[in-house]
Amino acid sequence: MDPGPAGAAGPAEPGPGVRGAGPAAPASSLAVAAVLPAGGSGERMGVPTPKQFCRVLERPLISYTLQALERVCWIKDIVVSVTRENMEVMKDIIQKYQHERVSLVEAGVTRHRSIFNGLKALAEDQPDSKLSKPEVVIIHDAVRPFVEEDMLLKVATAAKEHGCSDYDLEFGTECLQLALKYCHVKAKLVEGSPDLWKVTYKRDLYAAESIIKERISQHICIVMDTKEDEEHVGHHLEEMLKNELNHVKVTSGPLCHAGRDLQQIILEQCYSFVCVNVMTSEFEETKKLVNMLKESHLSVLYPVIVISVHFLDYKSVHFDHKMENLMQIRELAKEVKERNILLCGLLIYYPQDERKLQDSLRQGATVITTLIKERNSAFIGQLLVA
Amino acid sequence: MDPGPAGAAGPAEPGPGVRGAGPAAPASSLAVAAVLPAGGSGERMGVPTPKQFCRVLERPLISYTLQALERVCWIKDIVVSVTRENMEVMKDIIQKYQHERVSLVEAGVTRHRSIFNGLKALAEDQPDSKLSKPEVVIIHDAVRPFVEEDMLLKVATAAKEHGCSDYDLEFGTECLQLALKYCHVKAKLVEGSPDLWKVTYKRDLYAAESIIKERISQHICIVMDTKEDEEHVGHHLEEMLKNELNHVKVTSGPLCHAGRDLQQIILEQCYSFVCVNVMTSEFEETKKLVNMLKESHLSVLYPVIVISVHFLDYKSVHFDHKMENLMQIRELAKEVKERNILLCGLLIYYPQDERKLQDSLRQGATVITTLIKERNSAFIGQLLVA
């Protein structure tokens, strides 16, 4: 497929707990909540799992939608209507992916009853309820994971202005028709962006997975085991990578100086790391990097990929010895896989011939790019050769 | 993503020259042609290439649509309207992917003019024209690659019955409205299947690529270098693969006996081959297989993947010697890449411990499955380890 940003791509979405500077919140007095009807059975998908629970990069789709709503700080509560048989599944999702501000209610037999149950939970002014009564409720499909803050702001503002707070404003669905018929209020239709598409068929799951992979591959961090030196092979590789990865933000530097910088890069949600080892065939630098990533909890929401790059210089170290050393990557990779960190090794030939070296580096850059973009756990612990 | 067949999946599509037994053709006297307006600029896609020329598995999308029409034997001629600047590109596509029955006309400034130019070429009864005048013309979007024969049959039959032969019957588009307005004929709307979706946004290209990859991975062929013996490690691996690859047709047997069978398997459009070498660490069997594939021209339309599997038995051959041997796969892979054959190596540890052996085999099956499904040319020539 041709490279380039996806039509639906944007900056990587911050995870829970990290808030970007987004559009201004509606008037600070406005209390907004969201209800997600998620009682569907996913018949059209052709798979036994309801589509909101289908896995995309091994995480259920609904978790992406919750993440999109949670990063909007002015949405105070999110209520999910879920069937009784999926209640425990949903509780596990909330715990595993550390969702905050999410409450569960039981779904009704129809989508409208599910919405009604969510609204009722928000409206009840019980002393033991942790929910606060909102002025505006956004009803959002659990299977529209790519909703953006500005879209939600438009909906909330329109709802406030038009006084209709309990129905769905998406694209003139049956909810809008019901509101028009029974509520005697003037409904406002808010234009949606193409990003707001709904995961309906299995092909939409494929598309969602590709879009998410592309989003989390928009920033890569290159860590070097040497100080800066424009001439060495690590920097040549970096230049190749920058050529391959158009539109991708690349930051680089030595790990020994980069402790604090790296914390900042992790906070900015960089999910792709290339650890370039020029000086040694050991994994010490890679281990340090992986430990920092483990401590950061960065990999709770997305798989973090780490590629440990080594060079094979025929002069200095014997091939077999080096290979044996590098095969240790399998054990390390197995260990960190548990934490959703995908570790692969790459050995780049370092021939004396300048043209051949350029070929090796170019091939290495292609392998790195593919590992980052595909982010496939089947290749962890492999030692690839370029 | 959860495994299972895609909503839009079907049997692998036969390439040009191979005709499956499909639905009955319309009354044999009915002459049917197709016009594909392909003059679009692809603005919504957000990429500079018009969407009909965007590459899916390195082949332009329009070639998939032509393939879908060509395998319908009762469509006699296919006329593509293409802009002057893309005329050479289109000629190259026809030649490279060996399309037959395709003629080109110049696109007009609008979609309707492009359709008109296609119809005019079919209507002209010039002695030097290789086109025959049809009774029914199907107008088909160049960016709907998943059209099935039964759908085309419904459209052709409806057009014959309702006497409307020069407009688009897709989903009440502007063409249908024009026909109703100007032609004074009763138009018949034919219900489309979800498979008939149109590639519009970049996310649709992602979905198309995933669907095509899934289709061509529905049949795998395992070639063994030994005679049948239920006990040996190759057969254990085969069992593991059958477990991993639900819904996938697996055929297997030794290559030495399978020459004729293999020709049949190639004719049935199997695009995934696993060459299991139990007896040797040489590539002789793999080379034989690759040569048969080269001669067959199977890889003209889709990349054919070949995985050469070897076992690392500590008892018999020294590790380093074996590795050195196996590294030769890089040269062989580079050579056959030119022919769209993707060759990878897989070395499976063969420990004495039965439980550990099962682990190795399971991991090997996962790597094989992923290589087949992802079909990524960046991994050719790699020697993966399980």
Side-chain angles (χ1 to χ4, degrees):
Chain A
M1 202 175 292
D2 287 339
E13 295 176 22
V18 183
R19 316 270 166 241
S28 57
S29 61
L30 189 63
V32 181
V35 168
L36 270 74
S41 64
E43 283 157 20
R44 269 178 294 188
M45 192 69 85
V47 288
T49 312
K51 56 192 170 181
Q52 61 275 26
F53 298 120
C54 282
R55 285 171 183 273
V56 176
L57 280 177
E58 300 186 19
R59 176 152 69 105
L61 187 65
I62 194 170
S63 169
Y64 292 91
T65 311
L66 290 176
Q67 182 192 350
L69 295 173
E70 271 178 329
R71 85 204 144 110
V72 178
C73 57
W74 47 265
I75 296 180
K76 303 298 178 199
D77 293 300
I78 302 162
V79 180
V80 181
S81 311
V82 65
T83 59
R84 194 178 295 176
E85 58 263 37
N86 284 321
M87 197 60 83
E88 285 307 310
V89 173
M90 198 59 224
K91 280 181 187 165
D92 290 346
I93 291 171
I94 289 170
Q95 196 190 1
K96 180 164 184 191
Y97 301 105
Q98 302 176 10
H99 291 298
E100 296 161 3
R101 293 183 279 154
V102 177
S103 305
L104 301 180
V105 296
E106 205 176 311
V109 288
T110 64
R111 181 182 151 89
H112 290 122
R113 289 198 182 275
S114 294
I115 294 171
F116 178 73
N117 291 353
L119 294 172
K120 208 170 59 175
L122 286 166
E124 279 168 2
D125 236 346
Q126 292 182 355
D128 62 336
S129 170
K130 63 184 178 102
L131 298 171
S132 51
K133 201 169 173 172
E135 287 173 84
V136 167
V137 180
I138 295 172
I139 314 292
H140 185 74
D141 270 336
V143 290
R144 294 192 199 264
F146 299 109
V147 62
E148 295 287 347
E149 180 167 357
D150 58 351
M151 187 67 223
L152 292 164
L153 183 61
K154 273 189 209 164
V155 171
T157 310
K160 173 74 177 165
E161 277 171 19
H162 293 76
C164 40
S165 62
D166 55 347
Y167 58 83
D168 195 351
L169 287 167
E170 306 149 358
F171 312 128
T173 61
E174 72 283 13
C175 287
L176 184 59
Q177 286 148 20
L178 280 183
L180 289 168
K181 188 168 172 189
Y182 294 110
C183 299
H184 309 292
V185 290
K186 192 174 175 305
K188 163 100 173 106
L189 192 63
V190 177
E191 183 89 16
S193 74
D195 295 5
L196 204 55
W197 58 288
K198 184 173 174 176
V199 174
T200 307
Y201 299 105
K202 184 154 181 189
R203 66 169 184 261
D204 300 321
L205 273 183
Y206 289 141
E209 181 153 300
S210 297
I211 289 170
I212 291 164
K213 279 182 182 175
E214 191 173 276
R215 285 190 177 191
I216 60 176
S217 304
Q218 288 301 302
H219 183 181
I220 77 162
C221 172
I222 304 176
V223 173
M224 304 269 181
D225 69 346
T226 55
K227 296 195 183 155
E228 287 185 39
D229 166 5
E230 296 293 317
E231 284 311 302
H232 78 65
V233 68
H235 277 288
H236 289 310
L237 178 66
E238 187 181 331
E239 290 307 311
M240 292 276 183
L241 272 173
K242 283 179 179 166
N243 279 345
E244 283 258 348
L245 295 157
N246 276 324
H247 314 287
V248 172
K249 183 179 166 193
V250 178
T251 47
S252 64
L255 185 62
C256 55
H257 289 178
R260 224 176 118 187
D261 297 348
L262 205 64
Q263 294 298 352
Q264 184 55 34
I265 289 165
I266 290 170
L267 271 177
E268 286 167 9
Q269 271 101 44
C270 174
Y271 297 99
S272 310
F273 294 84
V274 182
C275 187
V276 179
N277 302 277
V278 182
M279 310 302 280
T280 164
S281 60
E282 307 294 324
F283 284 106
E284 287 316 309
E285 293 291 293
T286 306
K287 278 181 191 163
K288 276 184 213 160
L289 173 62
V290 165
N291 280 335
M292 284 181 79
L293 293 171
K294 271 157 88 173
E295 279 164 23
S296 74
H297 297 275
L298 178 68
S299 56
V300 167
L301 292 179
Y302 298 107
V304 173
I305 190 153
V306 178
I307 303 163
S308 189
V309 179
H310 302 260
F311 293 92
L312 185 64
D313 180 355
Y314 284 111
K315 286 184 302 183
S316 55
V317 191
H318 188 262
F319 176 76
D320 298 330
H321 174 67
K322 193 144 190 166
M323 279 300 270
E324 226 174 279
N325 242 348
L326 292 172
M327 291 304 257
Q328 293 172 11
I329 198 169
R330 292 167 61 78
E331 294 312 310
L332 186 55
K334 207 183 276 180
E335 186 197 319
V336 298
K337 170 70 180 76
E338 305 293 312
R339 301 290 292 267
N340 209 18
I341 295 172
L342 312 179
L343 175 63
C344 306
L346 175 63
L347 185 64
I348 300 182
Y349 277 99
Y350 192 166
Q352 288 304 304
D353 181 291
E354 180 64 23
R355 205 181 51 79
K356 281 187 185 164
L357 174 62
Q358 294 295 316
D359 280 352
S360 286
L361 290 173
R362 198 170 297 113
Q363 212 190 326
T366 304
V367 170
I368 291 171
T369 307
T370 305
L371 286 171
I372 288 173
K373 286 188 180 167
E374 297 288 342
R375 214 167 281 256
N376 200 312
S377 62
F379 297 127
I380 65 150
Q382 296 294 340
L383 182 63
L384 302 166
V385 178
Chain B
M1 204 174 287
D2 287 338
E13 294 176 23
V18 183
R19 315 272 167 240
S28 57
S29 62
L30 189 62
V32 180
V35 169
L36 269 73
S41 65
E43 285 159 18
R44 270 178 296 189
M45 191 70 83
V47 289
T49 313
K51 57 194 170 183
Q52 61 274 25
F53 298 120
C54 282
R55 285 172 182 273
V56 176
L57 280 176
E58 301 185 20
R59 177 153 67 104
L61 187 64
I62 194 169
S63 169
Y64 292 91
T65 311
L66 289 176
Q67 182 191 352
L69 294 173
E70 270 178 329
R71 83 204 145 110
V72 178
C73 58
W74 45 266
I75 296 180
K76 303 298 178 200
D77 291 303
I78 302 163
V79 180
V80 181
S81 311
V82 67
T83 59
R84 194 178 294 176
E85 58 262 41
N86 285 320
M87 197 59 84
E88 285 307 309
V89 173
M90 196 62 221
K91 280 182 187 164
D92 290 346
I93 291 171
I94 288 170
Q95 195 189 4
K96 179 164 184 192
Y97 302 106
Q98 301 175 11
H99 291 298
E100 296 161 3
R101 291 181 281 151
V102 177
S103 305
L104 301 182
V105 296
E106 203 177 310
V109 288
T110 64
R111 182 182 151 88
H112 289 123
R113 288 199 182 275
S114 294
I115 294 171
F116 178 74
N117 291 354
L119 294 172
K120 207 169 58 172
L122 286 165
E124 280 167 1
D125 235 348
Q126 293 182 353
D128 62 338
S129 169
K130 62 185 180 99
L131 297 171
S132 50
K133 200 169 174 174
E135 286 172 84
V136 166
V137 180
I138 295 171
I139 315 292
H140 184 74
D141 271 335
V143 289
R144 295 191 197 265
F146 299 111
V147 62
E148 296 287 346
E149 180 166 359
D150 57 352
M151 186 67 222
L152 293 164
L153 184 61
K154 272 189 209 164
V155 172
T157 311
K160 172 75 177 165
E161 278 171 18
H162 292 77
C164 40
S165 62
D166 56 346
Y167 60 82
D168 195 351
L169 286 166
E170 307 148 358
F171 312 130
T173 61
E174 71 282 16
C175 286
L176 184 58
Q177 285 148 19
L178 281 184
L180 288 168
K181 189 168 171 190
Y182 294 109
C183 301
H184 310 292
V185 292
K186 192 175 175 304
K188 163 98 174 108
L189 192 63
V190 177
E191 183 89 18
S193 74
D195 295 5
L196 204 54
W197 58 287
K198 184 174 174 176
V199 173
T200 307
Y201 299 105
K202 185 153 179 189
R203 66 169 184 262
D204 299 320
L205 273 183
Y206 289 141
E209 181 153 300
S210 296
I211 289 170
I212 291 164
K213 279 183 181 174
E214 191 172 278
R215 285 190 177 191
I216 60 175
S217 304
Q218 287 301 303
H219 183 181
I220 77 163
C221 171
I222 303 175
V223 173
M224 303 270 182
D225 69 346
T226 56
K227 294 193 184 156
E228 288 185 37
D229 167 3
E230 295 295 317
E231 283 311 303
H232 79 67
V233 68
H235 277 289
H236 289 310
L237 178 65
E238 187 181 332
E239 290 307 311
M240 291 277 183
L241 273 174
K242 283 180 179 166
N243 279 345
E244 283 258 348
L245 295 158
N246 276 325
H247 314 285
V248 172
K249 185 178 165 194
V250 179
T251 48
S252 64
L255 185 63
C256 56
H257 289 178
R260 226 177 116 187
D261 297 349
L262 205 62
Q263 295 297 353
Q264 184 55 36
I265 289 165
I266 290 170
L267 271 177
E268 287 166 10
Q269 272 100 44
C270 174
Y271 296 98
S272 311
F273 294 84
V274 182
C275 188
V276 179
N277 302 278
V278 182
M279 308 304 278
T280 164
S281 58
E282 308 293 326
F283 285 106
E284 286 316 309
E285 293 292 292
T286 307
K287 280 181 190 162
K288 277 184 212 160
L289 173 62
V290 165
N291 280 335
M292 284 181 78
L293 292 171
K294 271 157 88 172
E295 281 163 24
S296 74
H297 299 273
L298 178 67
S299 54
V300 167
L301 292 179
Y302 299 107
V304 172
I305 189 154
V306 178
I307 302 164
S308 189
V309 179
H310 301 261
F311 294 92
L312 184 63
D313 181 354
Y314 284 109
K315 283 183 305 183
S316 54
V317 191
H318 188 260
F319 176 76
D320 298 329
H321 174 67
K322 193 143 191 166
M323 279 299 271
E324 227 174 279
N325 242 349
L326 292 172
M327 291 304 257
Q328 293 172 11
I329 198 167
R330 292 167 59 80
E331 294 311 310
L332 187 55
K334 207 183 277 182
E335 185 197 319
V336 297
K337 170 70 179 76
E338 305 292 313
R339 300 290 292 266
N340 210 16
I341 296 172
L342 312 179
L343 174 63
C344 307
L346 174 63
L347 185 65
I348 300 181
Y349 277 100
Y350 192 166
Q352 289 302 303
D353 181 292
E354 180 63 25
R355 204 180 51 79
K356 281 186 186 165
L357 175 60
Q358 294 296 315
D359 279 352
S360 286
L361 291 173
R362 198 170 298 113
Q363 212 191 324
T366 303
V367 171
I368 291 171
T369 307
T370 305
L371 285 170
I372 288 173
K373 286 188 180 166
E374 297 287 344
R375 214 166 282 256
N376 200 312
S377 62
F379 297 126
I380 65 150
Q382 296 295 339
L383 182 63
L384 302 166
V385 178

